[in-house]
Structure formats: structure tokens, C-alpha cells
């Protein structure tokens, strides 16, 4: 082969390679945008859209471990725990899963196991975290919650102490309190709330968190003082909490005013409309409650949607429209099958309609 032919062949090979790289880059760019959009959907609470996006990425081999993780998170948020576990397991089985990502995925899989009451599997993941990963406040808290679910109270207490030691914040104190509250062990959790209140408030968020702590302790006067201070520092979150405090004090007028102010100032209005619906229910203005629930739906995340839909069931029950209430409860339980309060409500409604 002469030099001219060799050069021609070399150029042909190079052009073919370049074309191939260009095509791959274009494909990668297309699905890269799908991956980025799925992340935005997940962050915004649009879990069904996020799940579809991550599935597309998985099918096309885009960032496999992270796409499986994203699909798992979307499924977890939607209450499909078995699918979440499957996705998290697939993520862990991918090649080149770094230590930080492995810790993250193990934590979420343990959470999915916990929510699906597979406590032994959840504990196994927690033990793997303890043995192979650096523990932090979140992982200690998760281990404590799993131990509490298994009635291993001493182990739970030790993990919660470690969690609060690693992260001595109002938020961690509230999380531990709520974990104990779910097991009807409120006194054990109240100690952490009291400990958190020893910290002096400096920022608007501090005052807001202190108000939340006092609210959980049912000290509504002090809760109000802290939250009013937070609103003076332009905390919109404090408006929501003040609405809850006034509601607990049966001051519906001020409660409604706080929720209305929140709606006028906040970007996410669904919580405000949900609060207004609660005010309507308290005043037996059920048609207005349904209107406010409907107004809150478009901007609601899955968690906020859950609260709105549950209150919708309550409204129809209070209207004595038991058939509609039962239908709404059945639809709700298809979306949130682990809600014990909804299951109890559904059983009650069946006694009113005679439908099984």
C-alpha cells in the first residue's frame, strides 16, 4: 500500500471515529437533559415525572447507579417501597459506586425496608452502614428509628444519643421526639426538646425552630412569642406555625389570618390553603374547605397532597356524605397504604355505608 492510500485510510478511520463520537455525544447530551430534568422534578416533588425520567436514563445506560438511586427515591416518596428497594439494590450492584454514594443509597434502602416493615433487612443495612461507612447524625438517627421499631429500646436510645451528639440541632431534637411519639413514648422524646431549648436563638430559623419545639411541648404561649419574633425577621415558615398555634388555642380568626398572609407571601401556597381548610372545618364551613383543598392541589408536593387528600375525606365525613368519603378514603389508601389513621377512618366509614 502506497503512502497516499495509507494516509487516505487513516483519514477515513479518523472521520469514522469522529462521527461516532459526535453521535454518542449528541445522544449523551439528549439523555443528560432527561437526567437533569428528573433531578429537578424530584426536588420539586413531581415524583411520577421524576420516575419516568430516571427510568428512561436507566434504559439508555445514563449514569446507571445515580439513575437507579433517583428512581428509588421517587418510588420511596410515592410509597412504592418494594419498587424503591429494587431500584436501590440495582444501584448498589452497579460498577464504580463510590463510598459516599453507597452510604447514601444504603441509608435510603434501610428507610424503604423500615417503611415496609422489613425490620431485619433494615437493621442489616444499618449494621453495614456502621461497619463500612462513617456514621453521622442522620445514620445514627436512622439506626435508632429501626431499633425502636424492633422494640430494642436501649439500642434505640444509644443511637439517638449519638445522633443528637453529632447534630445538636432543633431539627434533630424534633425528629427524635417524633420517633418516640409514634411509639407512644412521648416522655423519652421530650428530653431532647428540652435540651434543644438550652440553645440561644440567633437567627430567624432559630426562633422558628424554637417555636416549633414549644408547639410540640404544647406550650403555646412561648411558641407564639418565638414565632412572632421569627416573623419580625421575615420568616414565612413562622406564619404557618403561628397558624397551627392559634388553631391549637382555638383562635380561628388569627389562625386564618396567618394562613392568608402565608399564601400572599410564599411561593408554595398549598400548605396555606390546607391551613385555611382546617379553619373552615373548625367553623363547619365544609364547602369552603373543599374549595381551599382544591386550590392547594396544583402546587402540592406528594407530602402536601397527602395532607390535603386526608382532609378532603374528613370534610365529606363531616358533611355526612359517607359514600363519597369512603370512595375518597379508598383512593387515598391506594396512594398511601401505610397511613394508620386513614385505615382507621376507612373502617369507620364502612360501618356507615354498609359497604365492605
Amino acid at each position: 500500500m502506497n503512502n497516499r492510500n495509507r494516509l487516505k485510510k487513516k483519514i477515513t478511520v479518523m472521520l469514522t471515529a469522529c462521527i461516532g463520537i459526535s453521535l454518542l455525544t449528541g445522544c449523551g447530551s439528549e439523555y443528560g437533559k432527561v437526567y437533569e430534568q428528573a433531578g429537578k422534578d424530584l426536588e420539586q416533588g413531581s415524583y411520577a415525572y421524576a420516575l419516568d425520567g430516571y427510568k428512561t436514563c436507566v434504559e439508555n445506560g445514563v449514569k446507571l447507579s445515580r439513575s437507579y438511586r433517583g428512581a428509588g427515591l421517587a418510588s420511596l416518596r410515592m410509597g412504592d417501597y418494594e419498587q424503591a428497594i429494587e431500584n436501590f439494590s440495582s444501584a448498589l450492584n452497579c460498577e464504580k459506586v463510590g463510598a459516599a454514594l453507597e452510604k447514601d443509597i444504603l441509608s435510603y434502602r434501610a428507610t424503604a425496608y423500615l417503611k415496609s416493615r422489613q425490620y431485619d433487612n433494615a437493621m442489616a443495612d444499618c449494621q453495614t452502614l456502621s461497619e463500612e461507612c462513617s456514621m453521622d447524625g442522620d445514620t445514627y438517627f436512622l439506626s435508632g428509628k429501626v431499633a425502636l421499631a424492633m422494640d430494642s429500646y436501649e439500642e434505640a436510645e444509644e443511637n439517638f444519643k449519638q445522633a443528637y451528639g453529632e447534630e445538636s440541632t432543633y431539627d434533630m431534637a424534633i425528629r427524635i421526639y417524633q420517633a418516640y411519639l409514634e411509639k407512644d413514648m412521648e416522655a423519652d422524646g421530650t428530653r431532647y426538646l428540652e435540651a434543644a431549648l438550652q440553645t440561644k436563638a440567633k437567627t430567624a430559623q432559630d426562633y422558628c425552630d424554637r417555636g416549633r419545639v414549644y408547639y410540640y411541648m404544647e406550650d403555646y404561649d412561648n411558641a407564639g412569642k418565638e414565632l412572632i419574633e421569627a416573623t419580625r425577621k421575615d420568616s414565612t415558615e413562622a406564619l404557618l406555625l403561628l397558624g397551627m398555634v392559634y388553631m391549637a388555642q382555638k383562635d380561628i380568626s388569627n389562625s386564618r389570618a396567618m394562613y392568608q398572609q402565608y399564601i400572599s407571601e410564599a411561593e408554595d401556597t398549598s400548605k396555606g390553603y390546607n391551613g385555611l381548610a382546617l379553619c373552615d372545618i373548625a367553623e363547619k364551613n365544609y364547602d369552603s374547605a373543599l374549595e381551599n383543598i382544591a386550590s392547594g392541589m396544583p402546587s402540592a408536593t406528594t407530602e402536601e397532597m397527602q395532607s390535603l387528600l386526608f382532609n378532603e375525606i374528613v370534610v365529606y365525613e363531616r358533611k355526612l356524605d359517607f359514600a363519597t368519603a369512603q370512595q375518597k378514603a379508598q383512593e387515598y389508601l391506594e396512594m398511601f397504604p401505610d397511613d394508620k389513621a386513614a385505615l382507621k377512618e376507612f373502617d369507620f366509614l364502612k360501618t356507615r355505608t354498609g359497604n365492605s
Side-chain angles (χ1 to χ4, degrees), residues 220-235:
Y220 302 127
D221 289 338
N222 277 318
K225 291 175 184 176
E226 300 284 353
L227 293 168
I228 288 170
E229 188 62 35
T231 61
R232 288 173 180 156
K233 296 180 181 293
D234 299 323
S235 169

Side-chain angles (χ1 to χ4, degrees), residues 82-275:
E82 291 301 328
Q83 187 60 56
I85 291 164
E86 183 177 328
N87 281 312
F88 291 137
S89 298
S90 295
L92 289 168
N93 289 330
C94 289
E95 296 181 0
K96 298 180 181 179
V97 179
L101 183 58
E102 180 184 9
K103 176 182 176 181
D104 176 83
I105 296 169
L106 275 169
S107 297
Y108 281 122
R109 190 173 71 173
T111 300
Y113 278 133
L114 174 62
K115 287 183 174 293
S116 60
R117 296 186 178 87
Q118 299 181 54
Y119 301 136
D120 289 337
N121 288 331
M123 182 57 74
D125 276 352
C126 287
Q127 288 171 345
T128 301
L129 285 166
S130 176
E131 293 166 3
E132 299 181 7
C133 305
S134 59
M135 296 288 280
D136 55 27
D138 287 333
T139 46
Y140 276 123
F141 172 77
L142 177 59
S143 298
K145 198 167 182 182
V146 172
L148 196 61
M150 300 177 75
D151 297 331
S152 300
Y153 302 121
E154 291 183 5
E155 184 178 353
E157 182 180 8
E158 183 59 34
N159 278 297
F160 287 145
K161 283 181 180 178
Q162 292 278 7
Y164 193 71
E166 292 283 335
E167 191 179 318
S168 302
T169 62
Y170 298 107
D171 183 61
M172 181 59 76
I174 290 169
R175 289 166 68 191
I176 295 171
Y177 168 79
Q178 290 176 326
Y180 275 120
L181 187 64
E182 289 174 7
K183 292 287 287 185
D184 296 322
M185 299 173 66
E186 186 176 358
D188 294 86
T190 301
R191 290 179 295 150
Y192 290 92
L193 299 182
E194 293 169 344
L197 289 173
Q198 301 304 311
T199 305
K200 188 175 180 180
K202 297 178 182 178
T203 66
Q205 189 61 52
D206 288 343
Y207 283 109
C208 195
D209 288 336
R210 288 174 66 83
R212 184 185 289 105
V213 168
Y214 277 122
Y215 172 79
Y216 283 120
M217 295 175 70
E218 299 183 7
D219 185 346
Y220 302 127
D221 289 338
N222 277 318
K225 291 175 184 176
E226 300 284 353
L227 293 168
I228 288 170
E229 188 62 35
T231 61
R232 288 173 180 156
K233 296 180 181 293
D234 299 323
S235 169
T236 54
E237 182 185 359
L239 294 171
L240 273 179
L241 291 166
L242 269 172
M244 293 165 60
V245 168
Y246 287 130
M247 177 70 73
Q249 294 175 313
K250 302 189 185 307
D251 184 350
I252 307 303
S253 177
N254 274 321
S255 178
R256 186 182 295 278
M258 291 301 102
Y259 290 128
Q260 288 171 335
Q261 187 176 345
Y262 176 84
I263 289 170
S264 68
E265 295 183 14
E267 293 182 6
D268 173 16
T269 58
S270 62
K271 291 179 181 177
Y273 281 115
N274 196 35

Side-chain angles (χ1 to χ4, degrees), residues 318-351:
R318 299 287 178 85
K319 284 167 66 76
L320 304 181
D321 185 350
F322 297 121
T324 302
Q326 184 181 356
Q327 178 188 342
K328 296 288 184 181
Q330 186 169 350
E331 293 170 357
Y332 176 96
L333 286 169
E334 289 173 2
M335 298 173 64
F336 310 105
D338 294 329
D339 190 325
K340 294 179 182 177
L343 285 167
K344 186 176 181 180
E345 179 72 9
F346 185 58
D347 289 339
F348 165 77
L349 290 168
K350 286 192 292 186
T351 66

